Amino acid sequence: MKEFLEFFSFADANVRYVTLGSVLLAGSSAVVGCFTLLRKRALVGDAVAHAVLPGVCLAFILSGTKNPFILLVGAFITGWISLILIDFITSRSRIKEDTAIGLVLSVFFGVGILLLTAIQHSGNAAQSGLDKFLFGKAASLVGEDLIAFSIVAILLLAATILFYKELKLLCFDETFAKTIGFPVRGLELLLTTLTVLAVVVGIQAVGVVLMAAMLITPAAAARFWTDRLGVMLVLAAIIGAFSGVAGAFVSYTAPAMPTGPWIVLIVSMIAILSFALAPNKGWIARILRRRRNKKLILEENLLKLLYHLGEDRQDYTTTRPLQELLDKRAIPAKEAKYGLAKLRAQGYLERSKAGWSLTPEGIKRGRRVVRLHRLWELYLTQYLHLASDHVHEDAETIEHIITPELEQRLLEELNYPELDPHSARIP
Amino acid sequence: MNAFWIILTGSLVASCCSLLGCYLILRRMAMVGDAISHAVLPGIVIAFLLTGSRDSVPMLIGAGLLGVLTTFLIEFFHRYARVQSDAAIGVTFTWLFAIGIILISVFAGQVDLDQDCVLYGEIAYVPLDLWITEGGLSMGPRTVWTLGIVTILILSFIIIGYKELFLTAFDPGYAAAIGVSTSLWYYLLMTAVSLTTVASFESVGAILVVALLVAPPATAYLLTDNFKTMLILSVMLGVVAAITGYYLAVWIDGSIAGAIATVTGIEFMLAFLFSPSRGILISKKLIQPVQH
């Protein structure tokens, strides 16, 4: 607790720098990451992160200094070239995009490593610290870095806000953007530039490999909570910033811990929890929905079955034993019993010693399912000209889905029909 | 003699990687290979912590398991949680890599692995770690033995499963129809990729593995339409890169792994520009017949 207070009072200048730096970096790259993710090009960030290394080394070799600005320019140039190359290779040969990304990523990095080791072996004393680009140095950020981070973060956010509408269109409907005369090529270059900028700066904090996570993971997590781009951007920025603070806190309490990997670990946990738990899109929500649908289908099938049995003699309230139901339609006995009990609890069925019978409510609902089934069969034969022996399977599925509005439209469209294609009466 | 061992190691890595890479790029899974090569790190560290040695067998097992787990996680996120596939790859491998780095920092005193080695290895040290029998007889570098065995395994895997691997890569629908399990062969292939990655890890690091998995097969892909030729060609390209890369590294006094990756890149660039059938400087002038 003491450490917690100490950390969050931000009395220590170092803590201030590290925290603020991590927040700026993680927040701004998350925003850019949203756009690359939506364009289904999440992994190009990874390629840029690796491709930055030769640029840094070349800048050092050519200029002979470790001036951060010159190194950043070098990094920016090769990062940018790598993205252009990926596009060029994919468009001008039969190499697929994933191969092109892997190729550019590993070859640029290989060149970078070759140059870096050559510099290290050359005995030039000024070189120490260049390898910070490989693994980052989030824990030792200083005021100077912070200024660079803030400038880039503000640039990125400003560009995003300024070109929000254009970028949005680029992500969701490129063709439309082209037809209404947006400079799509220019916007692509803008997005490329923003990505490279985010990577070049971020890489100093978390390193080459983990930079990809700063772009991809918060965006992927945010995507699960919303369908609106604006909300997604804000959410991704918050998730990124939170992980930034949390990572800085962990390495503050345990100084041996590297900040970058902890930021990534935390943001990954948030993402994985989002994949599992997010309402609507999450894995668990999906399972529950499937189970609910399955239950609904079982119940409706049982009601339909009882209604069918009653149809022959027009007495829907006769009590029928379970075996009679199972003979008519192959439902696993255990499932059937469960469904019947459920329906009874909802007031659609009554149970006596002899078996099960429909209540007036149950008759109504059973009749509706049968009606929808037959309406749909009729619709398929009349409008799609399917043979009448081909329509049953399809109607079996759709009868559980049709809404009352659709039912009304079907009735109107079919002119309130009396008989279905099998000459059974439509109730 | 040292040069011989280093080049031999490089060539063995190149052969395994290039062979498997052909399947990866045809299945559009190059980045899954990249992901596996990073994600095996925690497996290596855990195996190291459990056994307390750099013995190859536990490491191979640990990393092999992690490789399969990575593939499984990517599939799981993509299929069940409906994460888009590139994001699933990105999230999975950075997460596992971060765990690996954290494990290394936590057990820094006990783990004789460092971060640089993870990324670009140190093939130059290969000849120093000799396997000396109890009789005092030197059998050559340990890594060469491990890699040799892995190469034989991979080769026999590809020869024995040639038909299945071929079918599942090119026509999974047909493969499934004639009773070849696509997911079984998918996971077998991924296990093979993980094994190769780990065996090559110490000597050449994660990135060179990716370079050799992707670049020689991609180059060969531009040069031929025949799959068998592509396999053989990519192995040859890989071996040439290993030899040239070694001398390039000696010449400019830099990392051998980096130099080999650089050469694979140059090979690709040459094929991209001058390939007789598909080079962008050549094919413009010819009218390409429609190929089936």
Side-chain angles (χ1 to χ4, degrees), chain B residues 179-225:
Chain B
V180 176
S181 161
T182 42
S183 56
L184 173 73
W185 286 95
Y186 173 77
Y187 281 105
L188 280 179
L189 179 64
M190 290 303 140
T191 316
V193 173
S194 328
L195 275 186
T196 310
T197 311
V198 191
S200 331
F201 210 81
E202 267 187 275
S203 44
V204 299
I207 306 298
L208 179 58
V209 173
V210 184
L212 286 171
L213 274 175
V214 179
T219 314
Y221 188 51
L222 290 180
L223 296 172
T224 176
D225 282 334

Side-chain angles (χ1 to χ4, degrees), chain A residues 235-263:
Chain A
L235 216 55
I238 293 173
I239 292 173
F242 172 79
S243 327
V245 176
F249 178 67
V250 169
S251 71
Y252 175 74
T253 47
M257 289 293 177
T259 315
W262 270 101
I263 298 180

Side-chain angles (χ1 to χ4, degrees), chain A residues 192-204:
Chain A
T192 305
T193 313
L194 293 181
T195 316
V196 178
L197 209 56
V199 169
V200 166
V201 177
I203 210 165
Q204 300 179 76

Side-chain angles (χ1 to χ4, degrees), chain A residues 32-287:
Chain A
V32 178
C34 285
F35 290 109
T36 51
L37 182 94
L38 289 172
R39 296 207 71 210
K40 305 251 167 0
R41 305 196 62 189
L43 288 171
V44 297
D46 194 28
V48 179
H50 287 78
V52 156
L53 192 61
V56 173
C57 297
L58 276 177
F60 177 78
I61 292 175
L62 294 178
S63 71
T65 67
K66 260 190 353 190
N67 178 330
F69 182 70
I70 295 177
L71 296 188
L72 283 188
V73 171
F76 185 82
I77 293 173
T78 46
W80 211 74
I81 292 176
S82 74
L83 276 189
I84 301 297
L85 263 185
I86 291 174
D87 276 344
F88 188 68
I89 292 175
T90 2
S91 64
R92 294 300 293 276
S93 73
R94 60 171 174 169
I95 301 288
K96 307 294 177 299
E97 190 177 33
D98 65 318
T99 310
I101 294 176
L103 183 81
V104 167
L105 174 160
S106 54
V107 170
F108 269 66
F109 190 75
V111 175
I113 291 293
L114 183 63
L115 294 174
L116 181 67
T117 42
I119 295 171
Q120 281 169 344
H121 295 167
S122 70
N124 183 339
Q127 58 84 19
S128 71
L130 271 187
D131 56 351
K132 287 282 180 243
F133 276 92
L134 278 180
F135 299 103
K137 47 159 187 178
S140 54
L141 290 175
V142 290
E144 217 176 292
D145 302 317
L146 204 58
I147 295 171
F149 275 27
S150 321
I151 294 174
V152 173
I154 289 167
L155 265 176
L156 289 179
L157 291 179
T160 316
I161 294 169
L162 213 60
F163 293 102
Y164 178 73
K165 199 178 69 187
E166 284 84 353
L167 289 173
K168 187 175 175 178
L169 205 51
L170 184 70
C171 290
F172 292 110
D173 199 341
E174 204 181 313
T175 332
F176 180 62
K178 218 174 266 174
T179 41
I180 62 169
F182 274 16
V184 168
R185 192 76 202 120
L187 285 172
E188 269 175 354
L189 284 181
L190 172 74
L191 191 56
T192 305
T193 313
L194 293 181
T195 316
V196 178
L197 209 56
V199 169
V200 166
V201 177
I203 210 165
Q204 300 179 76
V206 294
V208 166
V209 177
L210 297 178
M211 188 56 219
M214 305 309 297
L215 285 168
I216 302 171
T217 315
R223 183 71 190 86
F224 270 76
W225 296 92
T226 175
D227 278 330
R228 303 192 62 82
L229 179 61
V231 183
M232 181 178 161
L233 291 177
V234 175
L235 216 55
I238 293 173
I239 292 173
F242 172 79
S243 327
V245 176
F249 178 67
V250 169
S251 71
Y252 175 74
T253 47
M257 289 293 177
T259 315
W262 270 101
I263 298 180
V264 174
L265 186 65
I266 291 163
V267 80
S268 304
M269 293 325 287
I270 296 177
I272 292 169
L273 286 178
S274 306
F275 298 163
L277 302 177
N280 280 326
K281 288 189 198 165
W283 181 52
I284 291 175
R286 209 184 294 273
I287 291 179

Side-chain angles (χ1 to χ4, degrees), chain A residues 289-304:
Chain A
R289 195 160 53 228
R290 199 176 309 146
R291 195 167 293 170
R292 216 167 34 236
N293 281 342
K294 220 174 139 190
K295 219 185 295 171
L296 182 84
I297 290 174
L298 172 69
E299 288 171 14
E300 294 197 342
N301 280 340
L302 285 167
L303 287 174
K304 187 174 67 172

